[in-house]
Amino acid sequence: MSDISFVRTEMLPERAPPASEVGVLGWVRHNLFSNWMNSILTVVSLGAIYYVLAGVLPWVFLSVNAPSLSECREIMIERWGSTHGHACWGVISDRWLQLLFGFYPKALYWRPILALLLLFAALAPVLFADRVSNKLLYLTAIYPFLMPWLLWGGSIWGPICAAMGFVIGYLVVKFVTDMAGTLIATIAAVVAAFAWWLLLSGPVSSALSSIIPLAIESVESRQFGGFMLAILLGVVAIGVSLPIGVVLALGRQSDLMIIKYFCVGFIEFIRGVPLITLLFVASLLLNVFLPPGTNFDIILRVMIMMTLFSAAYMAEVIRGGLAALPRGQYEGADSLGLNYWQAQRLIIMPQALKISIPGIVSTFIGIFKDTTLVSIIGLFDVIGLANAIRADTAWIGIYWELFAFIAVLFFIVCFGMSRYSMYLERKLQTGHR
């Protein structure tokens, strides 16, 4: 009887994986049709998507462009025999500049455009610190004073004198800290800065303007509007509310009872009042408490209220990040001999902000979308302008096209913020996945 057993001395060549396990077909099989329940849900979802797109795509692309809604409808009836299911993008072609810039003078459109471009440049070293030169941080520092001058115009000395308040505060902190301690130096710096802004800034600015008249054409706040106004309010509220929120979150955890109760009272009061109520206070009631003859710009009042509202919610988000840190982080900072502010700046706050990134960005997106509420108090933001356009005899009855255009504008900004949030989370990911 012969022995036919043998030992293989060569490896079999590798075979290509089955076509049903790799590529698009493999992805579809594993993610969409992995079992009977997923298969049913996939089929139902595809049917729903087809139903929506079958109505939306013809409405978007089988459209007309005419100078009025009545002419649009005439063209629709001539082409398709019906006005149903077709958009009239003529209103966007006719009014898109107004929807973007409001009543801002057309000859000065370059100023808000330049302010927007400089905003991107000023944010670049903050958002992408590892990819952008640190020299742009100088632009980041001066942008909060350059932007109002570009938009409102007037004398250059006003923004310069406003910036001098911060310089004075910095100098006070630098020279008083060694003599009286950090807390006293901080209080003295705040008092000195406000004294400069309230008492000396105006006269000094006027004197410098009379000596060296450097100015550009002024634009009144009532000419602001459109999506530009939403960007302006959103950028200010987002940029200022984050540091205020950090201070409020730290103050809420402070051992000093006065500071703690003040922060708790402020946060709970602001979070317990609707934003629209605060906007009505800014629009109607705030002037009652100001001295007679005081001219407090309505946009500035709205900025302050929206910033305070966002800061209260930001404080709670950051407080959640602080509460998530283990006690060992605080003990480690103490063991290194760091004082309170050093520990917060180097160890505690970076980790708390990292944990709080999703909540922070959600608050940013929420406050940016809430800028549309200013149309209720008479400011012509993009929603207010849409209502004004619909009141025009040429566009009476138009609706979906305007709000679809506005939705796209807000989606671009909000989607961009959410994508950056995900990028930042991946960049700062240090744990095991």
Side-chain angles (χ1 to χ4, degrees):
M1 206 176 162
S2 61
D3 186 4
I4 60 173
S5 64
F6 65 93
V7 177
R8 185 180 298 279
T9 59
E10 297 178 356
M11 295 295 294
L12 289 174
E14 293 184 357
R15 296 182 179 180
S20 60
E21 297 294 329
V22 296
V24 176
L25 186 61
W27 184 91
V28 169
R29 178 181 177 185
H30 288 289
N31 292 277
L32 302 181
F33 297 96
S34 58
N35 54 56
W36 66 269
M37 178 60 72
N38 282 350
S39 301
I40 294 175
L41 292 176
T42 298
V43 172
V44 172
S45 300
L46 291 175
I49 292 172
Y50 173 80
Y51 177 79
V52 173
L53 293 181
V56 172
L57 294 182
W59 181 81
V60 173
F61 295 105
L62 297 180
S63 56
V64 297
N65 193 343
S68 68
L69 182 59
S70 59
E71 295 183 42
C72 278
R73 288 173 174 171
E74 291 176 2
I75 297 173
M76 291 175 188
I77 293 175
E78 181 180 351
R79 289 184 183 178
W80 300 291
S82 172
T83 61
H84 178 71
H86 307 285
C88 178
W89 296 115
V91 63
I92 305 302
S93 301
D94 185 37
R95 300 297 186 93
W96 71 275
L97 284 175
Q98 188 178 15
L99 288 171
L100 292 179
F101 297 101
F103 302 104
Y104 208 84
K106 291 185 178 180
L108 303 179
Y109 279 171
W110 64 270
R111 282 162 48 176
I113 293 174
L114 178 60
L116 181 63
L117 295 177
L118 290 177
L119 172 65
F120 293 142
L123 289 177
V126 178
L127 302 182
F128 305 99
D130 55 339
R131 301 183 181 182
V132 181
S133 172
N134 290 335
K135 294 180 180 179
L136 281 176
L137 287 173
Y138 294 107
L139 176 61
T140 305
I142 66 174
Y143 183 79
F145 310 99
L146 181 61
M147 181 266 289
W149 180 65
L150 283 175
L151 295 181
W152 276 275
S155 173
I156 187 63
W157 298 110
I160 292 177
C161 289
M164 282 299 299
F166 291 94
V167 175
I168 292 172
Y170 170 76
L171 294 176
V172 170
V173 169
K174 184 176 180 179
F175 290 107
V176 177
T177 300
D178 295 335
M179 296 183 295
T182 304
L183 180 60
I184 301 299
T186 303
I187 296 174
V190 172
V191 171
F194 274 94
W196 166 261
W197 288 326
L198 297 177
L199 302 177
L200 299 176
S201 177
V204 171
S205 174
S206 300
L208 291 173
S209 298
S210 61
I211 298 173
I212 309 176
L214 298 177
I216 57 177
E217 182 179 345
S218 297
V219 179
E220 297 182 4
S221 293
R222 60 184 178 85
Q223 296 178 283
F224 284 53
F227 197 62
M228 180 190 74
L229 181 60
I231 293 288
L232 175 62
L233 296 176
V235 166
V236 173
I238 289 171
V240 181
S241 66
L242 180 58
I244 295 178
V246 171
V247 172
L248 289 172
L250 294 176
R252 186 159 187 165
Q253 294 186 332
S254 174
D255 294 330
L256 300 175
M257 301 305 292
I258 296 177
I259 295 178
K260 179 177 181 179
Y261 287 139
F262 172 80
C263 293
V264 170
F266 174 84
I267 293 171
E268 297 302 328
F269 172 77
I270 294 296
R271 293 176 69 231
V273 178
L275 177 58
I276 188 60
T277 303
L278 298 178
L279 295 179
F280 274 119
V281 170
S283 175
L284 303 175
L285 300 180
L286 197 59
N287 281 338
V288 176
F289 302 98
L290 297 175
T294 302
N295 184 18
F296 198 0
D297 189 87
I298 178 62
I299 294 181
L300 181 58
R301 283 180 270 164
V302 170
M303 285 179 180
I304 293 173
M305 287 301 180
M306 294 192 70
T307 300
L308 296 179
F309 183 83
S310 179
Y313 281 87
M314 192 67 63
E316 288 300 280
V317 171
I318 296 172
R319 186 172 71 92
L322 292 171
L325 291 181
R327 184 63 188 171
Q329 298 296 320
Y330 296 89
E331 295 172 350
D334 294 337
S335 67
L336 293 174
L338 302 178
N339 62 33
Y340 177 80
W341 293 110
Q342 290 174 331
Q344 293 295 335
R345 181 172 61 89
L346 299 174
I347 296 179
I348 306 302
M349 194 53 63
Q351 298 183 74
L353 292 177
K354 174 186 171 183
I355 295 172
S356 306
I357 286 175
I360 291 173
V361 176
S362 295
T363 305
F364 285 168
I365 292 174
I367 197 64
F368 180 72
K369 292 189 293 185
D370 285 344
T371 57
T372 56
L373 292 176
V374 300
S375 61
I376 299 176
I377 60 173
L379 293 180
F380 281 95
D381 75 317
V382 67
I383 298 295
L385 283 174
N387 294 331
I389 292 171
R390 292 173 56 233
D392 188 345
T393 54
W395 301 110
I396 291 178
I398 202 79
Y399 189 86
W400 290 106
E401 292 83 350
L402 284 170
F403 291 105
F405 179 73
I406 294 170
V408 170
L409 293 178
F410 276 92
F411 175 80
I412 292 172
V413 177
C414 296
F415 183 76
M417 285 193 283
S418 67
R419 293 301 97 182
Y420 177 78
S421 169
M422 296 178 65
Y423 157 78
L424 194 60
E425 289 183 61
R426 291 193 300 268
K427 178 183 174 183
L428 299 178
Q429 178 65 39
T430 57
H432 298 288
R433 297 187 179 181

